[in-house]
Amino acid sequence: MNEFWKSSDWEKQNYYDGTDLGSSYTNHTTKLKVWAPTASMITVNLYHDGSSGEPFATEVMEKEEKGIWSATLMGDYEGVYYTYLVTVEGQSKEAVDPYARATGVNGKRGLILDLEKTNPIGFPKESKPKFDSFTDAVIYELHIRDLSMEFDSGIKEKGKLLGLTELGTKNSEGLATGLSHIKELGVTHIHLLPCFDYASVEEEDCSTFNWGYDPENYNVVEGSYSTNPYDGEVRVKEFKTLVKTLHENGFRVIMDVVYNHTMKTEDSNFNKLVPDYYYRKVGDKFSDASACGNETASERLMVRKFIIDSVTYWAKEYHIDGFRFDLMGVHDIETMKEVRSAVDQIDPSIILYGEGWLGGDCPLPASQRAMKANMNMLPGIAAFSDDIRDGLKGSVFIPDEKGYATGDFGKRESVKFGVVGATFHPQIDYQKVNYSDSPWALSPSQCINYVSAHDNYTLWDKIAYSCKEDNYEKKVKKNKLCAAIVFTSQGIPFLQAGEEMLRSKPSKEVVGEFVENSYNAPDEINCIKWSNKANVMDVFSYYLGLIKFRKEQEALRMKSTEEIVKRLIFLPEEKEGVISYLINGSGTKEDKTLCIIYNASDEKVAITLPENNWTVYIDGDKAGVEPLYKVIGTIVEVSPISCMVLIK
Ligand code: CA
């Protein structure tokens, strides 16, 4: 293997720190720049069409310093598509510019465009919804297509970005769907599953479904979500329109980003331009920590620069408010730190989080990986807590395994660990936490608490597998208890879209079975079932109430570990299956105390409160900001499989 990049001289000679990679357009010149230090020649092909026909012109690029090739096109090239014919070691291949800002259909050719013309009216000066602290976030994880594809969604632009801009949509029973439904729910951030250009959906007919974790063009909006995938400008306008509409409706927008691997390996655009540079290899083989065929080498300077440039491009050009890093553990710590400082210069309230794990063996030393265990080196970045996820419902890898909220009380310490947002707390026995033997979050803002996401079974389906003996009512109680724990815990709560409506993905082949990782399953499995909303209004109202309550109680959104240690006190275990704790007032404002009780047992339990005269806001049936009833003495009875929150 030719590891040419390994010498520090090579990196020094070939690292380019300019901000002008890709196309720089004006109405009289367009400058193209691409980094390809090992190439012997590059020619630009210019096309009138985004996918078919021969080039109408070609332009030989000039080699500059630092591995850069450039071409200056005189005249107005707006709307012209282009590719690079790059020759390395005598072989010539046609590649799309990794910095392309738009493409034709199916991402085959880059587009030169005037980005100013893609701005909706008022977009450059629009304002974002207020957001003071990361722990104020409530994140809703949504796939563009899932939102609207059902027959009863009431949404016109089915499967499109614009479907999420439609307000006032209803199902046939007159209940809110789509964006209006999400507004009712009251989340603060909408996390969109991959919306950059991915490879697996044929954009001309959109006949298949995919989650989109198979990157093709990182700085381009996915064409199948656009109303016209042939005209690269349309998707840019439509995504900006979506972001603006979501901002106007009080939401911040998070993009799921997948820099850890590319769909193609040998013939990816990266590898055509600079063979072997962008990926880690073990011997002659591409390493595969992503379990998707390759892994990018973020520790190499121009790969790192690409990731930082791409994130900051989305943040600046599209006003994106947050990024979720797929398999963040594949990336090196230094890269993630530099991403944080780069977005801080744009907007420090941009939220960053990721999966603090890997999908396979990785040659990068464990100490350098952006893993959950290394979060102490990544302030300002959060990781998903699989500890609380599986602590609540059982391992995602063992369908019939129960968790604390579904009947295995042995997992209580993992839930307590989630309650304190994976931070240090003197009342937690870390040896009993399922996946972590020590706190991994420096502050609660580094911990994403959740019980379901797009991966694995939905929460409702997981309960179906692990609680086969239970009737519907009991399963609903377990689902509600899971949600109540996530939304009352310290840290950042996150839910999969539809969890608030008992989302389910029943198999079409086997009755009683469910689809686990539905990444390429048909729409009928994946889509949100608005036609079922009327049947689950009780659950929906409960989620809505939990979110409302959380937003009103600063005690549930503490900012520091020190504050949690000082104010949050676990009460002695009175009965197996019960977790109870107090959160004392902050001492600065109207001094209220919260008492939070989780009863996962099948029996009603009597809990002794430290004082008398409490008001209940959340119980097994209802949640919200209106008082439900008072508890006069010091004994409170908590229903089987339920959460109770009292305030004094
Ligand atoms: Ca695509």
Side-chain angles (χ1 to χ4, degrees):
M1 174 173 44
N2 178 11
E3 295 180 314
F4 54 86
W5 61 87
K6 274 207 165 162
S7 90
S8 55
D9 270 3
W10 192 90
E11 286 274 43
K12 234 179 267 167
Q13 281 161 19
N14 293 291
Y15 177 70
Y16 179 68
D17 66 357
T19 55
D20 56 353
L21 288 169
S23 64
S24 304
Y25 168 85
T26 69
N27 61 9
H28 52 88
T29 41
T30 293
K31 189 126 188 167
L32 296 172
K33 273 197 180 181
V34 62
W35 184 76
T38 58
S40 57
M41 182 165 143
I42 302 184
T43 307
V44 186
N45 292 328
L46 297 162
Y47 301 91
H48 290 304
D49 190 273
S51 61
S52 64
E54 294 299 310
F56 68 84
T58 58
E59 190 87 24
V60 177
M61 299 186 91
E62 278 177 39
K63 189 159 192 188
E64 298 182 357
E65 286 189 319
K66 309 283 183 189
I68 294 296
W69 295 78
S70 79
T72 305
L73 310 172
M74 300 305 292
D76 189 349
Y77 280 75
E78 187 190 356
V80 168
Y81 291 88
Y82 71 106
T83 59
Y84 297 130
L85 186 67
V86 54
T87 307
V88 183
E89 291 177 357
Q91 283 200 322
S92 298
K93 292 175 179 173
E94 193 174 15
V96 180
D97 185 350
Y99 280 78
R101 303 166 192 278
T103 62
V105 71
N106 289 322
K108 306 263 185 269
R109 294 173 182 172
L111 173 66
I112 295 166
L113 80 172
D114 182 354
L115 281 168
E116 274 182 36
K117 286 191 187 166
T118 63
N119 288 330
I121 295 164
F123 190 65
K125 290 191 172 164
E126 64 143 10
S127 55
K128 297 175 167 201
K130 192 167 149 354
F131 179 52
D132 296 327
S133 156
F134 291 138
T135 51
D136 291 347
V138 178
I139 302 172
Y140 191 72
E141 186 208 39
L142 177 70
H143 188 281
I144 282 293
R145 206 156 146 150
D146 290 353
L147 181 84
S148 53
M149 289 306 281
E150 206 214 9
F151 69 93
D152 208 17
S153 73
I155 295 168
K156 286 192 202 82
E157 293 290 358
K158 287 194 165 48
K160 305 299 176 193
L161 297 164
L162 294 182
L164 181 53
T165 67
E166 293 177 34
L167 278 165
T169 58
K170 291 183 169 83
N171 69 4
S172 48
E173 273 136 331
L175 297 170
T177 61
L179 181 56
S180 295
H181 166 91
I182 307 171
K183 273 184 94 165
E184 279 182 7
L185 186 61
V187 298
T188 64
H189 286 65
I190 297 180
H191 157 159
L192 297 169
L193 260 69
C195 283
F196 56 81
D197 180 36
Y198 58 80
S200 54
V201 169
E202 159 45 61
E203 295 178 1
E204 289 189 271
D205 64 8
C206 304
S207 61
T208 58
F209 172 95
N210 209 283
W211 281 342
Y213 293 92
D214 48 351
E216 180 80 18
N217 293 291
Y218 282 108
N219 297 340
V220 176
V221 175
E222 163 58 18
S224 67
Y225 297 153
S226 152
T227 59
N228 180 358
Y230 300 96
D231 181 347
E233 196 187 70
V234 174
R235 59 183 81 179
V236 182
K237 284 182 179 164
E238 290 179 345
F239 197 40
K240 286 180 174 179
T241 302
L242 172 59
V243 173
K244 183 164 183 278
T245 306
L246 294 180
H247 283 165
E248 285 167 355
N249 284 281
F251 300 106
R252 287 188 164 226
V253 186
I254 297 167
M255 270 182 81
D256 203 330
V257 287
V258 188
Y259 297 109
N260 66 80
H261 73 277
T262 53
M263 171 72 170
K264 295 170 191 153
T265 305
E266 290 278 5
D267 56 348
S268 72
N269 295 317
F270 283 155
N271 209 53
K272 285 176 186 169
L273 283 160
V274 195
D276 286 349
Y277 179 75
Y278 285 90
Y279 303 98
R280 296 185 190 130
K281 279 188 150 182
V282 176
D284 281 341
K285 285 204 165 114
F286 285 93
S287 182
D288 188 19
S290 70
C292 295
N294 60 63
E295 66 185 85
T296 53
S298 58
E299 69 281 12
R300 289 176 207 156
L301 296 185
M302 289 302 284
V303 185
R304 178 178 292 159
K305 175 179 164 60
F306 180 82
I307 294 171
I308 296 166
D309 285 351
S310 180
V311 168
T312 52
Y313 173 67
W314 287 106
K316 281 186 194 158
E317 187 63 35
Y318 288 88
H319 305 179
I320 297 296
D321 310 293
F323 298 89
R324 175 266 190 199
F325 288 81
D326 187 64
L327 295 181
M328 185 168 73
V330 174
H331 300 316
D332 67 302
I333 289 169
E334 182 57 28
T335 295
M336 292 309 301
K337 283 167 72 171
E338 290 191 24
V339 169
R340 180 70 258 176
S341 51
V343 299
D344 277 345
Q345 286 172 25
I346 301 164
D347 172 6
S349 71
I350 287 176
I351 190 166
L352 301 179
Y353 55 98
E355 293 181 303
W357 50 75
L358 299 161
D361 291 338
C362 177
L364 189 73
S367 62
Q368 292 173 30
R369 300 176 194 156
M371 303 277 284
K372 213 173 61 169
N374 292 331
M375 293 309 288
N376 62 339
M377 288 183 271
L378 292 163
I381 300 176
F384 285 98
S385 176
D386 51 345
D387 310 86
I388 190 172
R389 181 195 69 198
D390 290 3
L392 284 172
K393 67 174 182 182
S395 167
V396 294
F397 302 113
I398 309 166
D400 60 358
E401 186 183 294
K402 287 177 169 38
Y404 166 80
T406 52
D408 176 4
F409 311 143
K411 297 196 173 81
R412 72 193 305 275
E413 218 61 20
S414 304
V415 173
K416 285 172 63 186
F417 181 71
V419 165
V420 300
T423 60
F424 166 77
H425 192 284
Q427 287 178 284
I428 289 178
D429 182 350
Y430 291 90
Q431 296 311 309
K432 291 185 184 159
V433 175
N434 48 5
Y435 305 142
S436 302
D437 54 12
S438 58
W440 49 259
L442 291 172
S443 76
S445 61
Q446 280 194 297
C447 175
I448 305 281
N449 280 324
Y450 72 124
V451 67
S452 81
H454 65 280
D455 279 319
N456 310 112
Y457 293 111
T458 69
L459 174 59
W460 186 240
D461 294 344
K462 168 72 176 167
I463 293 173
Y465 276 120
S466 55
C467 305
K468 288 199 169 87
E469 65 284 6
D470 295 341
N471 63 19
Y472 176 83
E473 284 72 25
K474 198 163 171 185
K475 286 184 207 167
V476 167
K477 282 187 203 299
K478 290 181 172 178
N479 190 305
K480 282 177 157 181
L481 179 58
C482 285
I485 296 173
V486 167
F487 288 110
T488 49
S489 289
Q490 304 298 320
I492 301 168
F494 169 107
L495 76 156
Q496 182 191 22
E499 190 198 295
E500 75 284 10
M501 295 189 290
L502 306 182
R503 186 170 181 182
S504 177
K505 297 176 184 171
S507 159
K508 296 289 155 195
E509 284 89 46
V510 192
V511 178
E513 298 281 319
F514 303 93
V515 182
E516 185 176 15
N517 287 308
S518 61
Y519 69 96
N520 63 355
D523 287 314
E524 57 176 334
I525 302 226
N526 276 300
C527 71
I528 293 174
K529 310 294 186 296
W530 300 106
S531 57
N532 192 44
K533 186 174 175 182
N535 302 323
V536 291
M537 281 307 281
D538 166 57
V539 176
F540 174 61
S541 304
Y542 194 73
Y543 272 80
L544 192 155
L546 290 172
I547 292 170
K548 225 178 198 179
F549 184 80
R550 182 180 178 88
K551 285 162 97 174
E552 208 166 83
Q553 296 298 328
E554 62 79 34
L556 300 180
R557 299 180 274 110
M558 284 189 268
K559 295 183 179 73
S560 74
T561 302
E562 295 70 29
E563 203 185 349
I564 297 173
V565 169
K566 202 170 120 197
R567 293 174 61 190
L568 193 153
I569 298 146
F570 288 99
L571 298 171
E573 185 178 359
E574 296 210 17
K575 190 181 181 306
E576 217 195 357
V578 175
I579 296 171
S580 57
Y581 57 101
L582 298 176
I583 306 177
N584 292 313
S586 62
T588 51
K589 290 183 250 172
E590 197 190 332
D591 221 24
K592 288 183 288 186
T593 302
L594 262 66
C595 178
I596 300 177
I597 305 162
Y598 310 135
N599 176 19
S601 79
D602 276 343
E603 283 156 44
K604 191 190 278 184
V605 294
I607 301 289
T608 309
L609 302 169
E611 291 172 59
N612 55 17
N613 284 325
W614 294 81
T615 305
V616 176
Y617 283 80
I618 294 171
D619 66 9
D621 296 320
K622 287 200 162 70
V625 293
E626 301 301 325
L628 297 176
Y629 43 87
K630 287 201 182 297
V631 174
I632 305 301
T634 55
I635 308 280
V636 61
E637 287 197 328
V638 183
S639 311
I641 316 171
S642 75
C643 165
M644 182 173 274
V645 180
L646 310 95
I647 298 182
K648 185 183 166 64

